Amino acid sequence: MLSVANDIKPTVIRVLLLSHVCVCAATEGFDYQTQINKYLDCQALQHVLANILSEDEQSFQNNEYYLSGLESRLVADQLARVAQIEPQYVQDIYAAYLDEYRMVLAGSQENAEYQQFLTSLLAHVKRCLALNELQADIIRNAKSSAIISQ
């Protein structure tokens, strides 16, 4: 998602290893693992931004980005359930993304990678919010078509 993420090899390696360990279902050409990774990446990004903007634990948990990150996680968990991917693997992938973003933030503020990460963070979180909205639209449309067909 982030250009910074392309330079962060440990996350890519861990996510790929976790992806191969779990049973990855691809039904009708749908790549569940890729979609799960997108939503977990979004959750980690949104939680990082919420953490940056929060003064304490309570403001973090009430932050709109933290809450929208939970929506991303719900989608990832649903996809994992359908694909029969173990919940622990989903948690491990999320933790890998979160750890890498935290490592970038823990780096020196003079670091170019840190500056690039902060500069692009809000734009990427906005894409995550759009992804959440798209998923919500799909769910609403599926529910209304199910109601109409009954």
Side-chain angles (χ1 to χ4, degrees), residues 43-63:
Q43 180 190 16
L45 284 168
Q46 291 171 94
H47 286 180
V48 165
L49 183 57
N51 192 35
I52 291 170
L53 297 173
S54 301
E55 297 174 8
D56 57 29
E57 184 66 24
Q58 184 175 359
S59 64
F60 172 72
Q61 291 184 358
N62 291 327
N63 187 288

Side-chain angles (χ1 to χ4, degrees), residues 39 71 75 130-142:
Y39 281 99
E71 293 174 11
V75 174
L131 187 62
N132 279 356
E133 187 58 35
L134 175 65
Q135 185 64 30
D137 287 345
I138 291 169
I139 292 168
R140 276 194 297 274
N141 290 338

Side-chain angles (χ1 to χ4, degrees), residues 35 38-39 42 126-136:
Q35 295 304 311
K38 284 180 188 177
Y39 281 99
C42 280
K126 286 181 181 179
R127 286 190 200 117
C128 288
L129 295 174
L131 187 62
N132 279 356
E133 187 58 35
L134 175 65
Q135 185 64 30

